[in-house]
Amino acid sequence: MPDNSAAGTVELAVEQGVATVTFNRPQARNAMTWAMYQQLSEHCRGFKADAGVRAVVFRGAGGQAFVAGTDIEQFKTFSSGDDGVAYEAQIEACIDLLCSLSMPTVALIEGWAVGGGLAIATACDFRLATPGSQMGVPIAKTLGNCLSVANVARLCAAFGPQRVKRMLMLADMIGADEALSCGYLHQLAAPDEIDGATAALVQRLTALAPVTQKVSKQALSRLVQHSAPEAEDLIRQAYGSEDFREGVDAFVAKRKPVWKGR
């Protein structure tokens, strides 16, 4: 991997019709900056315009994480619930672009897939992971914010509502074995075998009927969208709370937050 700046990059390589998107900020477990979300959106728009791309693989650099959420430092500038609404709308636009890709998408998970990283992985059609991988959204323990209803709907469709309650309300992390048993993961593979397992899955996918894959994805996406009503009031309530500001301050200061419920 080439060296990347502190802000990170989202790199793209295409070989024989298969695109690989790499979240490259390993020193921060590939935590996403605003610029990285913008780069991811640009790549997705490019895929929508390129009929030659038959499948896309998403992965994190460094072997320790897929994406460990959004860079928390960026939340220090938030001053009201409206900032949270704008942020969730920005993230939702990026995730919606990923979901709307007509070709099959695969997330290769090594290590942590947390928060926004879990949203990205869940937006993919298939997910493979190494046995030690962990997935979750521990915001009840860290920031005191929330997810968009659309992302909650995607998580429920992939994990089931009770596991999502555990992730969101108990800050539980879901291990790879449990994620495989509930159907969230397509396959587990050892670190030295996961590249080959991913390539084998992509080979199967690209040998099948593209139109069938496209319309099937669209049908499933419409079902999820139908279950996700607008809920800006909930986002504004979470991001406008004193607890959210306390969560950000505590995370940056590397101390335990003191929740006040307001």
Side-chain angles (χ1 to χ4, degrees):
M1 283 292 175
D3 291 336
N4 58 302
S5 67
T9 55
V10 181
E11 299 173 357
L12 171 63
V14 181
E15 184 176 353
Q16 296 181 337
V18 177
T20 300
V21 174
T22 303
F23 304 103
N24 190 14
R25 197 178 175 222
Q27 75 278 13
R29 289 186 173 176
N30 304 319
M32 297 285 282
T33 62
W34 304 152
M36 290 172 72
Y37 278 118
Q38 291 170 0
Q39 291 169 22
L40 174 58
S41 295
E42 290 168 4
H43 291 322
C44 288
R45 282 191 286 268
F47 298 145
K48 290 173 76 72
D50 187 352
V53 174
R54 285 284 290 113
V56 186
V57 176
F58 296 86
R59 67 183 307 166
Q64 300 300 310
F66 179 71
V67 171
T70 300
D71 188 340
I72 306 306
E73 287 277 351
Q74 299 172 126
F75 291 125
K76 290 168 66 176
T77 62
F78 283 26
S79 60
S80 72
D82 289 337
D83 291 323
V85 170
Y87 162 71
E88 289 295 341
Q90 175 187 350
I91 300 306
E92 181 53 37
C94 179
I95 298 298
D96 191 56
L97 266 174
L98 202 168
C99 286
S100 69
L101 296 179
S102 63
M103 70 287 292
T105 53
V106 178
L108 190 165
I109 302 170
E110 298 173 281
W112 299 91
V114 180
L118 188 65
I120 293 169
T122 304
C124 293
D125 300 311
F126 298 92
R127 291 159 291 273
L128 296 87
T130 51
S133 296
Q134 295 281 322
M135 287 136 271
V137 191
I139 50 179
K141 182 169 62 176
T142 54
L143 293 187
N145 61 333
C146 67
L147 299 181
S148 71
V149 172
N151 272 322
V152 173
R154 292 186 189 102
L155 288 175
C156 284
F159 279 104
Q162 200 58 40
R163 285 187 179 84
V164 177
K165 285 185 180 180
R166 284 172 49 202
M167 285 191 278
L168 295 178
M169 299 175 69
L170 283 172
D172 277 357
M173 297 296 291
I174 303 297
D177 287 340
E178 183 177 357
L180 179 67
S181 68
C182 75
Y184 181 77
L185 293 177
H186 174 74
Q187 183 179 349
L188 289 183
D192 61 348
E193 297 175 352
I194 194 164
D195 285 350
T198 302
L201 174 60
V202 168
Q203 185 176 29
R204 287 182 61 193
L205 287 166
T206 55
L208 300 172
V211 175
T212 297
Q213 292 171 335
K214 176 181 178 179
V215 299
S216 297
K217 286 186 63 167
Q218 289 176 340
L220 290 165
S221 179
R222 290 180 190 182
L223 287 172
V224 173
Q225 290 171 357
H226 182 71
S227 67
E230 290 294 328
E232 283 191 5
D233 59 319
L234 302 179
I235 296 171
R236 188 172 286 106
Q237 182 179 344
Y239 281 91
S241 67
E242 292 182 23
D243 275 356
F244 172 66
R245 288 188 287 275
E246 164 65 9
V248 173
D249 290 344
F251 192 96
V252 172
K254 298 182 179 179
R255 62 173 174 80
K256 186 176 180 179
V258 179
W259 307 119
K260 298 180 180 178
R262 58 178 186 267

